[in-house]
Amino acid sequence: MEEEMIKPYVIGLDLGGTNSVFGIVDSRGEIKATTAIKTQAYEKVEDYVEASVEALQIIIDQVGGIDKIKAMGIGAPNGNYYKGTIEFAPNLKWGHTGIVPLADMFSKKLGIPVALTNDANAAAIGEMTYGVARGMKNFIMITLGTGVGSGIVINGQVVYGCDGFAGELGHVIMRRENGRPCGCGRKGCLEAYCSATGVARTAREFLKNSEEKSLLREMDPEQITSLDVSIAANKGDELAKRVYEFTGEMLGEACADFAAFSSPEAFIFFGGLTKAGDLLMKPLKKSFDEHVLKIFKDKAKFLISGLDGSSAAVLGASAVGWEI
Amino acid sequence: MEEEMIKPYVIGLDLGGTNSVFGIVDSRGEIKATTAIKTQAYEKVEDYVEASVEALQIIIDQVGGIDKIKAMGIGAPNGNYYKGTIEFAPNLKWGHTGIVPLADMFSKKLGIPVALTNDANAAAIGEMTYGVARGMKNFIMITLGTGVGSGIVINGQVVYGCDGFAGELGHVIMRRENGRPCGCGRKGCLEAYCSATGVARTAREFLKNSEEKSLLREMDPEQITSLDVSIAANKGDELAKRVYEFTGEMLGEACADFAAFSSPEAFIFFGGLTKAGDLLMKPLKKSFDEHVLKIFKDKAKFLISGLDGSSAAVLGASAVGWEI
């Protein structure tokens, strides 16, 4: 008890394919201080950890020093909850070829206990604690960022499976013939189509395969982002709208299969792509209704996370820290 | 306590697309008496229940009368554990158009409490209690019979989802283009290919689309069963072998997707089709290894249920009865 009074904070790290966001969080879920670094600016994980600790030191000092910090929780792609490792993460240049003992590395540098889970699992825990999933026992969180991740909750528990890696729904196969190459080395994964980068790829494909007029033709194709596509779609650009229809339809088909697995009461979407709003969600829901097995019709809700993008994941990661 | 002494048995009913097998089971899992009727010999569910109770009465009398029976558990396709109903079961002529309150119907006729679950969930419970899944916390049971069913166990619990229907893995979509029509009204479901009837369909397709010599050409194509195909394959028939290769490969691809969901320590196969043994299991495992996400490689075991076909499901169903 006394120790808890002395150490009122945990560190949460939302380790994404683009940004690594750190927050120092109190026991009521208030983020007291925050900082961030670029995840991919480092070739070696040692340099990444070094830079992280450097950035962290500033906010640690702001809250009164490391003695005030009880533990650290990390949400990371391909995070192994049981071992505290990141294993073969296709979207991390310092993590795609092997097993990175990231929890141990941070623990040694900071001198506090560190736990790690899948980034999407962390987001699901954040959503369950502070967001639209409060009170839900069965839901699937789908994160639409650089990649497509998922956190699956069944009977109120995050699904970790036999090895700590369950819930990689971004890597179910949606196209068994002529599928797009995915960062994981296989072809036709959901992630290759329905991530932010997948949306940009779809736009490039649509532009290449037709002569149709589009606002997107004013851009260098290689520079197009999912945000550019949604801006163009909101201006009425037909090709851009079809890119989101294609994306939503495939997500709806995927969710129809996921419903056959765990029949969740809700699918909760999170991440940059959800900013497209109805452009994505309308075709998604329509496609789900068209494709789902009859017994699951009209049962699942389709929700967008109400939590601020980075803080949900940071809060979720920090919650893992409290549990140590 | 006293009441349990007086009522030492439960009834288990394994309600399949072809046969309905009843067993009277004691608390140690010994099947004391058994009987069966044809599931599809009745147009109306009332007649099915009537015939069931008639057949049951004989074995109930054998064990000392209905006063010795504590409860009844039913494993049935599209069974809703929460409500005791069978809902829109595509393979049941008296159950495919609506909601059948089967638990209540049996309860009224027999005067004992009745609980019902998905047939594949019942098989999974049976396997967990008496079979190769003893001690396992995370596994997926796949039943390969008239249809393809599944019972998913995560953290030691059967997955029921928000509505009691989770675990319909026979209806994930394996062919999004030119998929075979499925009994569920959609196209391309796993069940349309990898059930016993799916295997027979594949054989007919292969025979129709080539002039290749095959022992199966001696039969009326409409009469070919999955057993005929495995007999021919075991005699060295190349076309018949390819039918099982096709089936196993698709099951392996499906299991690769299921691993991405719940990362089970084992897939356990059950039902008529498993009698094909290595004809099915070798291409299945090979295909899984080729298609699964790297982090799940070499983790899941592939097992065939060691329990006798009907008794596993009957024991599983009866276990549901004990829990009332």
Side-chain angles (χ1 to χ4, degrees), chain A residues 21-34:
Chain A
V21 182
F22 301 84
I24 297 182
V25 182
D26 72 11
S27 59
R28 287 172 299 185
E30 256 183 57
I31 298 178
K32 293 296 186 185
T34 183

Side-chain angles (χ1 to χ4, degrees), chain B residues 179-200:
Chain B
R180 278 187 196 165
C182 179
C184 72
R186 304 177 311 153
K187 283 181 182 170
C189 293
L190 181 65
E191 170 165 303
Y193 298 89
C194 297
S195 58
T197 46
V199 167

Side-chain angles (χ1 to χ4, degrees), chain A residues 78 80 82 87-88 96-97 138 140 150 152 154-155 157-169 171-177 184 186 189 253-254 256-265 290-296 299-300, chain B residues 78 80 82 87-88 96-97 138 140 150 152 154-155 157-169 171-177 184 186 189 253-254 256-265 290-296 299-300:
Chain A
N78 289 40
N80 185 330
Y82 299 135
E87 307 191 13
F88 305 103
H96 68 280
T97 56
N138 293 282
I140 296 179
S150 64
I152 304 166
I154 289 177
N155 294 334
Q157 298 170 307
V158 172
V159 175
Y160 287 113
C162 73
D163 58 353
F165 286 123
E168 283 291 346
L169 299 185
H171 296 284
V172 300
I173 305 299
M174 296 304 294
R175 289 289 177 271
R176 295 189 189 275
E177 284 167 39
C184 72
R186 304 177 311 154
C189 294
E253 287 185 51
D257 277 353
F258 304 157
F261 202 104
S262 70
S263 188
E265 68 181 289
E290 282 168 12
H291 290 98
V292 78
L293 192 64
K294 193 171 181 179
I295 48 166
F296 300 121
K299 284 180 178 169
Chain B
N78 290 38
N80 184 331
Y82 298 136
E87 307 190 10
F88 305 103
H96 68 280
T97 57
N138 292 283
I140 296 179
S150 64
I152 304 166
I154 290 177
N155 293 334
Q157 299 171 306
V158 172
V159 176
Y160 287 113
C162 73
D163 58 353
F165 287 123
E168 284 292 346
L169 299 184
H171 297 283
V172 300
I173 305 299
M174 296 305 292
R175 289 290 177 269
R176 295 187 190 277
E177 284 166 38
C184 72
R186 304 177 311 153
C189 293
E253 287 185 53
D257 277 353
F258 304 158
F261 202 104
S262 70
S263 189
E265 69 181 287
E290 282 167 11
H291 289 99
V292 78
L293 192 64
K294 193 171 181 179
I295 48 167
F296 300 121
K299 286 182 177 169

